Amino acid sequence: MRHVLPAALALALVSCRTPPPAQPAKPPAQPPRAEAPAAPAPPLVEAPPLLQLPPGVRPLRYALDLEVVPGRAEGFRGTCAIEIELDAARPYVWLHGRGLRVSSAEVEVPGAGRLAAAFAQVNEDGLAKVTFARTIGPGRATLRFAFEASWDERLAGLYLSRAGGEIYASTQLEPIFARRVFPSFDEPRFKTPFDVSLTVPDGATAVSNAPVASERPAREGLRTVRFATTEPLPTYLLFVGVGPFDVVTPPPLPPNEVRERPLAVRLLAPKGHGQELGLAAEATAAIVPWFERYFAIPFPYAKLDQIAVPEFGGAMENAGAIAYRSALLLESAGTSEDDRRAIASVMAHEIAHEWLGDLVTLPWWTDTWLNEAFATWAGEKAEEAWRPAWKPLADAFRDVDRVMAVDAAASARAIRQPLRAMSDVFNQFDGMSYQKGAAVLRTFERFMGEERFRGAIRAYLADHRHGTGSADALFADLSRAAGLPLQEALSGFTDRPGVPLVEARVSCEPGRARLLLAQRRFVPRGSDARGAETWRLPVCARWEAGGALKEGCAFLDGQREGALELGAACPAWVMPHAGGASYHRWMLAPPDLARLRRAGLPRLTTIEKVSLARNVRAAQQVGGSPWGDAMAAIADLASDPDPDAALEPAPVLAEVHDRLVPRRSQPAVEAFARRLYAPVAARLGWTPRAGESLGTRRLREETLDLLAL
């Protein structure tokens, strides 16, 4: 930092100096020429930005005061102050506001007081322009607005919902709905603290992202609830909820080796439903500490509220205040085991977001997959650790299999792609971002090993804590942990569509066994997708040699062909999809497939058995085998003691019967189905038994459905 001398001290030093020796006289200096006046700066003219706001203006902090009275038909009102920083002088700034009736706008400049401003929405996407009475900046300033708005009717923005004759108000701001509630810089890259106050009816519970700091009476029948300042948040993670909620407050989660303080937890339900939050409390107490230990980072926020919102469309990971549709959080006497599993699955996903999406946020919506794939992958791991009997990873594999069917089409989109219009933001929330993205993470986790992969994720979260991350930063951390340049391999999965197909066959020579590999794009018959593409692709296999189970991985670095060394002895069998983890289809040469069926089936995991069934079926779709051979390859699974595996042949039989054979051949298919599944039906019976697994219940339903219809 430079230090400048005060003017009086400088003059004193000059006056006390010893005068210099006399100099020869000089001719008189010519009078200075007058400088021409500086030309005024040209006016700033910018085209309205169609996607991201232009650089040069950043929000630093919000103070948001809302009056939210759910019974007020005309809507809500409030004030918003946004502290900003400008890199250069500007006569106006761009931000967001959609459908807001702004009654006053001004800008406060340090040392210059408050100046009038004008707020105007300029397009249907909610881009807004705030024009100042005169140019301001560079430096800091505060934008101040007073506004009103109507309740949103699309369960977005700030909207009303009803249950049991009561009215609730709550927000859903992802992805670009904060602009419907208050003037804002409504992009995920802008993370700032928020100071939120809500004026609400007496008797109503008010919820936001941070704990309540104070309450005071307001006008008659109202009170103002002020919340503590939040950690830095993007606008889409802000939450406001108001209504006559039942509030259940279990004991705080105790400190652990990662978190030093107790964590306050509350569960909120519509009035009269507080007793239905038992499963939610149990799941919270198990899943939050699991994530803390896995990421080596304590829960990132001062408290955790989990709120059942009537009529809400899904679930949303608002920081410290997760919102759920009521059916995704409440457990009643009639809740089935499938529904319990769904509640736990959604909760694990949303709690994972508190680290993966909230603590570290995507910079722009092209990286939506960073949030959703991460939370899908992590949520499934947490659920598997808590309730392994539900076999969530087997269900995850089936979800990925369905996404592969979409990804195989010529029209499939890449996980990560540019946005051409703001409406494209909504297209990012699909199976490519969730299930395919999670499968890509599992692919490289299996290849790298779980510990090295976890180390990379911990480094990524620590380096970008309370900021934004990016795919490139994640790929760099994974590459460092693996000791390999994986950036191109990872981006090959995220930046273009398609499913790799790996064709494998065992080659045995004296003293050397190999799994020969060839790759191409999986293209079903009749598709016009290109099939010559290759990937930088990890392929991990399991095999049995000399009575011992072994596993290894090969890396096809863009080559069409490669090999995995299996050791000196020829294996008894090979499974070319270890753990079912990698995002690729596979085909085994017929002799190797036969050995896998005969000798390897009892040694496969549940997911590997499901992978066998799904990929034998996929091989038929590319002409790799006729349906008869495909059915023979998986028929043995019908009698498998693992119900999740035994389910697999049934939908294949139904498809063959209903779509692929002529009517005259259907009785033969029916007879074959009875031979496979009548013993299963007899063993399971018609009535569920106490304590039986979710997979057994599903197998009974599928078996009886197949045999009856």
Side-chain angles (χ1 to χ4, degrees), residues 54 79 176 202 215 228 316 399 416 517 520 553 567 604 659:
T79 63
I176 52 172
D202 288 336
E215 298 190 34
M316 180 61 207
D399 290 340
R416 188 168 60 162
L517 305 168
R520 56 188 168 97
C553 298
L604 300 185
R659 300 182 182 180

Side-chain angles (χ1 to χ4, degrees), residues 66-230:
L66 296 176
E67 186 171 293
V68 182
V69 181
R72 183 183 291 155
E74 60 269 25
F76 61 94
R77 55 184 174 234
T79 63
C80 180
I82 314 173
E83 185 180 351
I84 62 172
E85 186 164 28
L86 302 96
D87 290 347
R90 297 185 62 92
Y92 59 81
V93 297
W94 302 101
L95 42 68
H96 297 105
R98 182 178 180 187
L100 305 177
R101 300 183 293 275
V102 176
S103 56
S104 72
E106 58 187 15
V107 59
E108 183 176 352
V109 181
R114 297 191 180 189
L115 306 172
F119 175 97
Q121 181 179 332
V122 300
N123 67 19
E124 282 299 309
D125 290 330
L127 179 69
K129 185 177 185 180
V130 179
T131 305
F132 310 128
R134 64 171 175 80
T135 297
I136 67 168
R140 296 195 176 190
T142 301
L143 306 175
R144 299 184 183 278
F145 306 96
F147 58 92
E148 297 180 346
S150 301
W151 306 113
D152 203 293
E153 297 180 356
R154 290 161 288 189
L155 299 182
L158 181 50
Y159 65 93
L160 299 180
S161 56
R162 293 168 173 80
E166 304 286 354
I167 306 176
Y168 302 79
S170 52
T171 53
Q172 168 57 28
L173 304 186
E174 188 186 36
I176 52 172
F177 300 141
R179 62 193 68 184
R180 301 183 185 186
V181 181
F182 58 98
S184 55
F185 292 78
D186 195 15
E187 292 183 14
R189 63 190 165 116
F190 297 124
K191 295 185 75 170
T192 79
F194 280 79
D195 293 302
V196 176
S197 291
L198 299 178
T199 299
V200 303
D202 288 336
T205 297
V207 189
S208 192
N209 305 83
V212 172
S214 66
E215 298 190 34
R216 58 178 174 80
R219 299 189 309 281
E220 184 177 355
L222 301 176
R223 76 187 196 285
T224 297
V225 181
R226 183 175 65 82
F227 298 89
T229 302
T230 71

Side-chain angles (χ1 to χ4, degrees), residues 442 446 539-543 550-553 575-582 584 586 605 607-608 611:
R442 282 192 292 271
R446 189 84 185 198
V539 179
C540 297
R542 288 204 312 128
W543 65 94
K550 300 182 179 182
E551 180 172 335
C553 298
M575 172 58 178
H577 199 208
S582 297
H584 65 73
W586 59 269
T605 67
I607 298 173
E608 288 171 338
S611 175

Side-chain angles (χ1 to χ4, degrees), residues 17 112 191 321 330 343 378 414 431 564 584 598 629 638:
R17 259 189 335 192
K191 295 185 75 170
L330 304 182
I343 289 170
L564 171 62
H584 65 73
R598 288 196 307 268
D629 291 351

Side-chain angles (χ1 to χ4, degrees), residues 6 13 29 46 55 73 75 120 134 138 169 213 241 257 278 292 314-315 382 385 393-394 406 425 456 458 480 512 586:
L13 290 175
E46 294 174 329
R134 64 171 175 80
E257 63 271 29
E292 291 178 318
L393 293 180
V406 177
V425 170
R458 287 177 170 182
R480 278 190 291 272
R512 187 186 189 191
W586 59 269

Side-chain angles (χ1 to χ4, degrees), residues 144-426:
R144 299 184 183 278
F145 306 96
F147 58 92
E148 297 180 346
S150 301
W151 306 113
D152 203 293
E153 297 180 356
R154 290 161 288 189
L155 299 182
L158 181 50
Y159 65 93
L160 299 180
S161 56
R162 293 168 173 80
E166 304 286 354
I167 306 176
Y168 302 79
S170 52
T171 53
Q172 168 57 28
L173 304 186
E174 188 186 36
I176 52 172
F177 300 141
R179 62 193 68 184
R180 301 183 185 186
V181 181
F182 58 98
S184 55
F185 292 78
D186 195 15
E187 292 183 14
R189 63 190 165 116
F190 297 124
K191 295 185 75 170
T192 79
F194 280 79
D195 293 302
V196 176
S197 291
L198 299 178
T199 299
V200 303
D202 288 336
T205 297
V207 189
S208 192
N209 305 83
V212 172
S214 66
E215 298 190 34
R216 58 178 174 80
R219 299 189 309 281
E220 184 177 355
L222 301 176
R223 76 187 196 285
T224 297
V225 181
R226 183 175 65 82
F227 298 89
T229 302
T230 71
E231 297 286 357
L233 301 178
T235 49
Y236 83 89
L237 289 177
L238 194 70
F239 179 75
V240 167
V242 177
F245 291 101
D246 283 357
V247 181
V248 175
T249 306
L253 299 185
N256 54 39
E257 63 271 29
V258 178
R259 176 173 31 82
E260 297 178 353
R261 57 176 175 81
L263 177 64
V265 172
R266 295 192 307 173
L267 301 135
L268 291 84
K271 187 175 181 179
H273 293 272
Q275 73 278 7
E276 298 172 19
L277 289 164
L279 176 61
E282 183 184 359
T284 302
I287 291 171
V288 170
W290 190 89
F291 280 130
E292 291 178 318
R293 295 182 176 103
Y294 186 88
F295 297 128
I297 296 174
F299 187 79
Y301 304 102
K303 55 86 178 176
L304 174 59
D305 289 337
Q306 306 218 66
I307 308 117
V309 178
E311 301 179 2
F312 182 41
M316 180 61 207
E317 67 269 18
N318 313 296
I322 304 174
Y324 302 82
R325 184 173 73 240
S326 293
L328 293 177
L329 199 66
L330 304 182
E331 176 196 25
S332 64
T335 301
S336 69
E337 192 71 3
D338 260 333
D339 291 337
R340 287 172 55 84
R341 192 256 183 221
I343 289 170
S345 175
V346 173
M347 290 186 68
H349 179 99
E350 300 306 326
I351 294 172
H353 268 310
E354 300 295 293
W355 288 264
L356 302 166
D358 295 10
L359 178 66
V360 179
T361 303
L362 74 167
W364 181 235
W365 297 111
T366 48
D367 269 335
T368 293
W369 80 278
L370 270 180
N371 281 11
E372 301 305 343
F374 255 138
T376 300
W377 161 81
E380 289 158 357
K381 289 179 76 71
E383 187 187 351
E384 183 82 16
W386 182 49
R387 286 286 187 269
W390 285 340
K391 297 185 179 176
L393 293 180
D395 281 350
F397 181 88
R398 294 186 181 96
D399 290 340
V400 172
D401 184 77
R402 286 188 284 271
V403 168
M404 282 183 171
V406 177
D407 200 19
S411 59
R413 79 166 184 90
I415 290 176
R416 188 168 60 162
Q417 60 185 14
L419 303 183
R420 294 178 176 83
M422 287 306 297
S423 57
D424 290 342
V425 170
F426 302 97

